[in-house]
Amino acid sequence: MNETINLMKAHTSVRRFTEEQISDEELRAILDAGRAASSWKNFQSYSIIVVRSQEKKEALFDLVPQKAILQASAFLLFVGDLNRAEKGAALHTEDFYPEGTENILISSVDAALAGQNTLLAAESLGYGGVIIGLVRYEASKIAQLFNLPDYTYPVFGMALGKPNQNHAVKPRLPYKAVVFEEEYCEQGSSVIEAYDRVQTEYAGDRAQDTWSQRLAAQFGQEPNQAIAQLFKEKKLEK
């Protein structure tokens, strides 16, 4: 189609990196491209913390033991941020109500849009990365490590660097299983079972479980409460 679409469709998660570093100039360009993403009412309700020191990476790795963190040239923590909103609102009113699902969605979606832009920009320069959502499972400790103030919370991390692996693109769900005309079209389990077979064939010898088994592992148990607890600590939930 064109260079941009081809790049987007070639995306794979990269968890192993060479020792080559992202230059300061390139990282600034990547982050500026990320920050150009759409945001709710242009509030830009997120912040990005850049981690390049090995000491901080190791401290983070102790909480979230993902090898990509240690190998990455840069680790980015995307933070849902209503702290600036509190300060801005205070210029005009004494009332401030950051609590609730809608405001969490505003800041989380803003962060996610900026994150996807950032990763795509990095890939356009020959780098790769992986999104690390497990930072939410140690939310309070992550908040302490990064000195997060009230009205902020970790949404996800991103490890970036020069790829030291080359995987084939993972097959996505069939177009008709995801894209509907005019209204939602609920489908039966046959769609899931068919996709299980596709994913298992893709994984080959690396397959340890099916796609639906991973769904069951994630959604078949009580959710991790770490981020919910942090919302209360940071005055985002009552």
Side-chain angles (χ1 to χ4, degrees):
M1 297 290 290
N2 62 43
E3 184 178 355
T4 301
I5 291 177
N6 289 338
L7 177 67
M8 295 168 75
K9 293 176 70 175
H11 165 74
T12 63
S13 293
V14 176
R15 295 175 172 84
R16 298 291 180 268
F17 306 103
T18 70
E19 294 183 359
E20 181 176 339
Q21 299 298 301
I22 304 173
S23 70
D24 292 343
E25 181 181 11
E26 287 176 315
L27 185 58
R28 176 60 185 265
I30 289 167
L31 291 170
D32 281 345
R35 298 189 309 109
S38 299
S39 74
W40 175 261
K41 298 184 178 180
N42 197 35
F43 288 160
Q44 303 162 76
S45 301
Y46 65 90
S47 291
I48 306 169
I49 299 176
V50 180
V51 177
R52 305 203 76 170
S53 72
Q54 197 62 26
E55 180 182 6
K56 198 65 169 278
K57 290 177 190 175
E58 290 174 359
L60 176 59
F61 179 79
D62 288 342
L63 299 176
V64 186
Q66 300 286 307
K67 291 182 179 178
I69 294 172
L70 296 178
Q71 292 187 359
S73 173
F75 178 86
L76 311 178
L77 182 68
F78 285 79
V79 176
D81 190 346
L82 294 178
N83 187 274
R84 284 190 297 271
E86 188 271 337
K87 291 176 171 57
L91 296 174
H92 308 281
T93 178
E94 294 182 357
D95 297 326
F96 183 61
Y97 302 101
E99 305 91 347
T101 303
E102 175 62 15
N103 289 335
I104 294 297
L105 283 174
I106 286 172
S107 47
S108 296
V109 171
D110 273 10
L113 292 171
Q116 186 60 47
N117 254 29
T118 298
L119 184 54
L120 183 61
E123 291 172 342
S124 76
L125 295 176
Y127 298 106
V130 62
I131 304 295
I132 300 177
L134 287 175
V135 296
R136 296 190 298 274
Y137 281 34
E138 296 290 349
S140 292
K141 293 178 181 178
I142 293 292
Q144 184 175 5
L145 179 63
F146 290 96
N147 196 31
L148 299 186
D150 286 344
Y151 315 119
T152 66
Y153 61 97
V155 185
F156 57 87
M158 181 186 299
L160 290 178
K162 198 71 172 182
N164 194 24
Q165 60 181 183
N166 184 23
H167 292 314
V169 175
K170 285 184 179 179
R172 284 347 193 218
L173 283 160
Y175 182 89
K176 290 185 178 180
V178 177
V179 182
F180 311 128
E181 296 289 341
E182 308 298 342
E183 62 183 21
Y184 191 91
C185 180
E186 187 172 5
Q187 298 158 329
S189 60
S190 61
V191 172
I192 306 299
E193 292 168 335
Y195 189 57
D196 271 346
R197 293 190 290 271
V198 171
Q199 282 285 327
T200 299
E201 182 179 356
Y202 161 82
D205 294 339
R206 295 180 290 114
Q208 296 181 344
D209 48 22
T210 66
W211 187 70
S212 61
Q213 285 174 329
R214 294 196 296 276
L215 290 174
Q218 177 70 41
F219 300 109
Q221 60 181 330
E222 292 292 327
N224 185 290
Q225 294 297 315
I227 193 67
Q229 179 59 40
L230 184 69
F231 287 158
K232 294 178 181 179
E233 294 173 14
K234 297 301 182 183
K235 304 179 182 178
L236 291 165
E237 290 288 356
K238 292 183 178 179

